[in-house]
Amino acid sequence: MSIDLTPLKNARRLLFSVRLKPAQGTRFQPTGFPDLGAAVYQAGGTTYLLVESPQSMANRLEAVCWDEAENDLREPLRGLSYVRVERGGRYLTSSITEAHRLNSVYIEKANGGAFHRSIAQEMGYDERAPIDWRSFYRVLMKYDVNSLIHGVFLESISGRLRVPRALSAFIEAEGVQVAASGGVKKDHVQPTKEAEGARTAKEGYGNVVYHREEFTAEKIVAYFNVDISQIRSYGLGDEAERLLILLSLYKIRAFLDGDLRLRTACDLAIWDRSSPIVADEPSRFELPALSAIETDLRLAIQKCEELGLMNGITRIVTH
């Protein structure tokens, strides 16, 4: 039986909040930022921590689609449109694995920018006229469907060609406290830095004592937001809309069912795997099992291919 998406027909957003926990113990390591460290902040009288940022989660939600051993989409997703860059007859990169998708420099600059020029021509871009957005969305669907989910900015064509994320996510911890610890890098050959002629710790010699900060939390929650209104606004038709929603559900479910070891000291697990994952909005919509999503996705991909909405793999050969 196919997945019933009618509960989403009049929804503006599809929101999930999934409680997580450390797979072992109580401590975990959050994402860190240059010159900032961990992102700790207050909301009312509660201390919060950003465990995984929206930009990092976007990368992780794209990664669940890719088979690194095969350098291709995972089998249930074969047929989805994406751009593949090859050099010397070998895989180089793709719009799935590149952070900026179609705006990756390896796609934008390939062969003197030929692919971006063809996109502009195909969508009928005219810098002196309003953008035909529906034509632009159709071109994105044709060449890289993930750009309609994770967003893209094709400024090499025009600063107006922007698509925000239709699927966004982050992981947040509530009621956090610092778990301070430390260690030492031991040098059994030259342990001290004061010996005559001793080389310095900056060079990697001598014992080096260090400290580290991990955190504990009362609650860790992964949040997912699918902008149904944005997907609907593309005007690509019912089959394309269904595919985009199913693909978003696939990404969420595959991420949650997969390896939640985000970093060496950040190994997470779903709080209660025995309970279904039910949406906060619209209420009572249950996240389907991965096997059910995969079955429906194969059918949705086939229908969109039959309608000529997707181009499959577009190969760019560079030298």
Side-chain angles (χ1 to χ4, degrees):
M1 180 180 291
S2 64
I3 297 169
D4 182 11
L5 297 182
T6 54
L8 307 180
K9 185 175 182 180
N10 298 314
R12 294 180 60 252
R13 302 281 192 277
L14 174 58
L15 306 178
F16 291 101
S17 56
V18 183
R19 189 167 178 183
L20 307 176
K21 63 182 179 181
Q24 292 180 301
T26 58
R27 293 171 294 129
F28 62 92
Q29 178 189 40
T31 188
F33 300 90
D35 304 320
L36 175 65
V40 179
Y41 47 94
Q42 295 290 129
T46 304
T47 304
Y48 287 85
L49 172 70
L50 185 61
V51 180
E52 202 71 7
S53 68
Q55 54 270 30
S56 177
M57 284 295 290
N59 294 336
R60 295 185 184 280
L61 291 170
E62 286 179 292
V64 299
C65 299
W66 193 252
D67 186 334
E68 293 187 359
E70 298 291 334
N71 283 327
D72 201 351
L73 287 167
R74 295 191 182 277
E75 189 278 326
L77 307 181
R78 301 281 170 86
L80 288 176
S81 57
Y82 77 96
V83 175
R84 183 182 184 90
V85 183
E86 298 175 351
R87 178 185 294 165
R90 300 180 64 182
Y91 169 80
L92 181 64
T93 189
S94 74
S95 58
I96 302 291
T97 53
E98 283 294 306
H100 299 290
R101 287 160 290 284
L102 289 181
N103 204 41
S104 161
V105 66
Y106 297 103
I107 296 173
E108 176 195 353
K109 302 293 186 183
N111 303 324
F115 180 67
H116 274 211
R117 287 196 301 273
S118 69
I119 288 178
Q121 183 177 6
E122 191 165 342
M123 66 172 282
Y125 174 71
D126 184 347
E127 64 181 10
R128 300 164 298 177
I131 291 173
D132 182 346
W133 288 104
R134 183 165 296 188
S135 177
F136 177 49
Y137 298 141
R138 283 190 174 275
V139 168
L140 293 181
M141 182 83 181
K142 178 179 178 181
Y143 292 110
D144 184 46
V145 67
N146 272 283
S147 288
L148 292 172
I149 292 179
H150 293 292
V152 73
F153 176 29
L154 300 182
E155 77 271 23
S156 68
I157 300 174
S158 169
R160 296 180 288 169
L161 292 179
R162 294 173 180 258
V163 178
R165 291 188 183 111
L167 168 61
S168 56
F170 63 94
I171 302 177
E172 187 177 66
E174 175 183 339
V176 300
Q177 295 187 34
V178 173
S181 62
V184 59
K185 189 279 291 180
K186 298 187 71 172
D187 185 339
H188 69 276
V189 176
Q190 182 186 292
T192 66
K193 299 185 284 292
E194 289 76 24
E196 184 178 351
R199 291 165 175 165
T200 66
K202 188 175 181 181
E203 296 176 288
Y205 297 94
N207 291 345
V208 178
V209 179
Y210 61 88
H211 74 275
R212 62 181 290 159
E213 287 187 348
E214 294 171 302
F215 288 83
T216 63
E218 295 174 5
K219 184 187 292 187
I220 305 172
V221 181
Y223 294 93
F224 302 90
N225 184 330
V226 183
D227 193 331
I228 304 294
S229 292
Q230 179 175 320
I231 290 174
R232 197 176 293 125
S233 74
Y234 296 150
L236 297 172
D238 292 343
E239 297 299 341
E241 183 177 317
R242 180 175 177 83
L243 183 144
L244 290 167
I245 294 174
L246 286 172
L247 183 54
S248 298
L249 295 177
Y250 174 90
K251 289 169 180 282
I252 296 170
R253 175 55 89 175
F255 173 78
L256 292 173
D257 284 2
D259 183 3
L260 296 179
R261 188 169 187 250
L262 307 181
R263 280 167 292 282
T264 299
C266 191
D267 195 359
L268 304 177
I270 292 179
W271 180 268
D272 181 7
R273 284 199 174 272
S274 64
S275 298
I277 297 173
V278 181
D280 303 318
E281 182 184 323
S283 60
R284 296 188 298 279
F285 181 84
E286 186 176 321
L287 181 63
L290 187 61
S291 58
I293 301 173
E294 290 175 345
T295 298
D296 276 26
L297 255 179
R298 289 185 180 97
L299 294 173
I301 291 169
Q302 182 180 342
K303 289 181 179 180
C304 286
E305 286 178 325
E306 291 170 355
L307 292 170
L309 293 174
M310 292 192 298
N311 202 41
I313 301 174
T314 298
R315 285 182 167 81
I316 294 178
V317 180
T318 63
H319 304 288

